[in-house]
């Protein structure tokens, strides 16, 4: 085998490796695009629940949290009360997320009434 043949084989091997790498890269890119489209077209149920109106999802979440606390921690264990209090805090956060007006407070949208000029 002469030098020319060796160089030709080496060049062909390098071209084959590069071609395989490009095919793998394009397959990965196609998979990434497909996943992005899937996520964009079908939003997560978690995102859909955050926009749900009414207290039903929050009540369900509170019941689930309390049930988990009762199942995991014995009644005489002081950590059980801490767990149940954490459930109540989670319910408040859920209610604020479900009703953004609740975060503003009762009187933030009104002007204060002045009693000095009358």
């Amino acid at each position: 085998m002469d030098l020319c043949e060796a160089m030709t084989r080496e060049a062909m091997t390098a071209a084959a490796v590069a071609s395989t790498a490009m095919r793998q890269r394009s397959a990965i890119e196609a998979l990434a695009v497909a996943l992005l489209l899937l996520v964009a077209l079908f939003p997560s149920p978690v995102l859909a629940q955050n926009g749900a109106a009414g207290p039903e999802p929050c009540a369900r979440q509170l019941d689930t949290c309390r049930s988990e606390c009762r199942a995991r921690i014995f009644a005489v264990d002081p950590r059980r009360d801490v767990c149940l209090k954490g459930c109540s805090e989670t319910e408040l956060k859920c209610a604020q997320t479900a009703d953004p007006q609740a975060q503003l407070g009762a009187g933030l949208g009104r002007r204060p009434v002045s009693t000095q000029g009358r």
Side-chain angles (χ1 to χ4, degrees):
M1 184 168 22
D2 65 343
L3 183 63
C4 186
E5 285 180 26
M7 290 177 66
T8 304
R9 281 191 184 173
E10 196 174 307
M12 289 176 66
T13 304
V17 169
S19 175
T20 303
M22 287 178 61
R23 275 186 266 148
Q24 288 176 344
R25 182 177 175 194
S26 64
I28 291 171
E29 289 173 349
L31 180 63
V33 168
L35 286 174
L36 286 174
L37 284 173
L38 185 65
V39 169
L41 294 176
F42 299 103
S44 170
V46 173
L47 295 176
Q49 283 181 356
N50 285 344
E56 294 86 14
C58 295
R60 211 174 320 124
Q61 185 177 4
L62 178 65
D63 289 340
T64 302
C65 183
R66 286 182 177 166
S67 298
E68 288 177 3
C69 288
R70 290 183 182 123
R72 286 186 294 130
I73 304 171
F74 290 112
V76 294
D77 194 341
R79 292 181 299 158
R80 188 177 195 175
D81 291 333
V82 174
C83 184
L84 292 172
K85 285 179 186 175
C87 293
S88 298
E89 291 173 2
T90 302
E91 181 195 24
L92 291 175
K93 290 178 185 176
C94 179
Q96 289 175 348
T97 303
D99 184 17
Q101 293 297 327
Q103 292 178 349
L104 295 177
L108 280 180
R110 295 184 242 145
R111 287 176 93 184
V113 178
S114 174
T115 58
Q116 292 181 351
R118 296 180 186 194

